[in-house]
Amino acid sequence: MRLGGVASSAFAAALACMGSAGSAQPIQTASHVFVSSYAIRDCTVPEAHQLVARFIRAFDVGASVRLDALWAKDDHDGDAGTPSFQWYSTGKPGARAGREAEDRSTLIRYFAARHRRGEQLRLVFMSRGGNSNGYFNFGFHIHRQARDLQRPGVFEGKGAAICSNAGAQLAVWSVGRRVATS
């Protein structure tokens, strides 16, 4: 599945996609999806908000081990219907889009590179969000600043989390356009 930008329709389509994935295809019952041997459950709003706050704290201090634990692993089936890492995308500076955004194996190195550039994030707003197809989907506004960002500012974005008996992890993060200021 090739995803780009933060277009709402692409985001919704990717998270609603339920293709065939052989034995990895989820079985849905009530609010649980079972993938492999662990149960994916609906996230609560506070749980998702705490996850995003932990991500931003770890990002800002360059805590690679913590960052790695906060992001879901990629099941490599290309199916957004089986909850796993989907993408991390953002524009310049540090642009990460297309196939690169979908590559979980480069994510922690990417975070380290942005930390070296002094990138800092501050959550300005996060929607209440909601659960759908094994993901907790949310919108956000984030303040970005970095040495290579000429105009620090607030940008809009969308994300998704996965919750299970093992805790909450991020699966999607897309930072889009700058929010217009009055």
Side-chain angles (χ1 to χ4, degrees), residues 7-133:
S8 297
S9 59
F11 183 76
L15 295 179
C17 176
M18 297 295 288
S20 63
S23 62
Q25 187 170 352
I27 302 168
Q28 291 189 356
T29 59
S31 64
H32 289 82
V33 177
F34 294 92
V35 181
S36 301
S37 61
Y38 62 94
I40 301 297
R41 60 173 174 74
D42 286 350
C43 296
T44 65
V45 172
E47 183 175 36
H49 284 239
Q50 290 168 5
L51 173 63
V52 168
R54 286 194 317 269
F55 164 64
I56 291 170
R57 282 192 304 271
F59 182 94
D60 285 352
V61 299
S64 297
V65 172
R66 285 191 355 229
L67 285 165
D68 194 40
L70 291 171
W71 280 87
K73 300 302 178 204
D74 187 352
D75 64 7
H76 301 287
D77 72 357
D79 180 5
T82 52
S84 66
F85 174 82
Q86 297 300 314
W87 75 87
Y88 182 101
S89 65
T90 188
K92 293 179 181 179
R96 186 175 159 95
R99 293 218 183 270
E100 182 183 17
E102 299 168 5
D103 187 352
R104 171 64 167 86
S105 70
T106 63
L107 187 60
I108 304 309
R109 285 192 309 270
Y110 170 81
F111 291 151
R114 294 310 303 152
H115 183 70
R116 286 190 300 275
R117 292 292 191 159
E119 184 157 355
Q120 297 284 289
L121 304 175
R122 181 177 48 85
L123 187 63
V124 174
F125 163 80
M126 183 172 164
S127 69
R128 287 188 51 79
N131 290 288
S132 176
N133 298 319

Side-chain angles (χ1 to χ4, degrees), residues 143-159:
H143 184 273
R144 284 182 77 194
Q145 66 182 40
R147 286 188 298 276
D148 58 351
L149 179 59
Q150 292 181 357
R151 283 185 35 219
V154 177
F155 295 80
E156 67 181 358
K158 296 180 184 282

